[in-house]
Amino acid sequence: MTRTWHISSVTDAARARIATARLATAHGVSPTERARLVTALTAQLRQCLTKGGTWLLSARAAATPPAGSRFLVEVTSATQRPGEFRQPWRLTVGCAQEAELPDSGHVGDDPVTLAEALFGADEDAALLLEKLDEQEALVAFHREELHQTNPGAEVAGGEAPARPA
């Protein structure tokens, strides 16, 4: 099932972004891929709002053998003039399932729903930051290891020390 939202304001875009993130979560999109998806979608929606008009955001999960299930997002213009063609923006990420879901596409104005969405986005960002910290620590460890085993080796971000002639 495809979910579609009409977007012509920042509020519409925020609601659609929240609903898309929830659908991605429900379909088993990993936190890292979900953060990438939502970040790219937010940037695209900002561009759309700058251009003006009404936009359509569609999201759905689909089986794509042999790759497994994919979560697909597309943004298209709903207000094209005759003879005008705007290329749709699309993004696809892997997901765990294609299962049909109860209607979770509507996001109201109530503060609880909006707060939950905000905290959900913060949880995804926290997971990404943890992964980044782990990778930075690993790079520092390997940089130090390389320096100790081969002091003359060039290390990223610096130059190798000069050797006596």
Side-chain angles (χ1 to χ4, degrees):
M1 172 181 215
T2 300
R3 303 280 165 70
T4 303
W5 299 270
H6 288 78
I7 299 168
S8 57
S9 69
V10 172
T11 304
D12 295 340
R15 286 186 187 126
R17 178 190 179 278
I18 290 167
T20 301
R22 285 181 166 179
L23 287 172
T25 300
H27 282 294
V29 174
S30 73
T32 302
E33 288 300 308
R34 193 169 54 244
R36 286 183 180 134
L37 169 78
V38 171
T39 301
L41 176 60
T42 300
Q44 182 61 37
L45 292 175
R46 272 195 196 112
Q47 288 180 10
C48 292
L49 291 171
T50 299
K51 293 176 185 175
T54 300
W55 298 84
L56 299 175
L57 167 60
S58 300
R60 69 183 174 93
T64 54
S69 294
R70 309 293 287 163
F71 188 76
L72 315 155
V73 177
E74 181 178 272
V75 177
T76 58
S77 174
T79 55
Q80 292 185 24
R81 292 181 212 95
E84 177 185 38
F85 177 74
R86 292 184 186 171
Q87 186 74 13
W89 177 86
R90 293 182 178 104
L91 186 62
T92 305
V93 295
C95 66
Q97 57 198 3
E98 183 195 354
E100 289 296 321
L101 300 172
D103 185 22
S104 62
H106 176 71
V107 178
D109 288 329
D110 70 281
V112 173
T113 300
L114 298 175
E116 287 173 356
L118 179 62
F119 282 122
D122 285 349
E123 288 171 10
D124 287 349
L127 287 171
L128 286 175
L129 290 172
E130 283 178 29
K131 285 184 178 187
L132 180 61
D133 287 344
E134 290 170 8
Q135 294 302 312
E136 286 176 339
L138 189 60
V139 167
F141 170 77
H142 286 297
R143 182 178 287 136
E144 181 61 28
E145 183 181 52
L146 178 63
H147 180 70
Q148 288 180 10
T149 59
N150 190 358
E154 186 174 322
V155 179
E159 294 183 23
R163 291 188 171 193

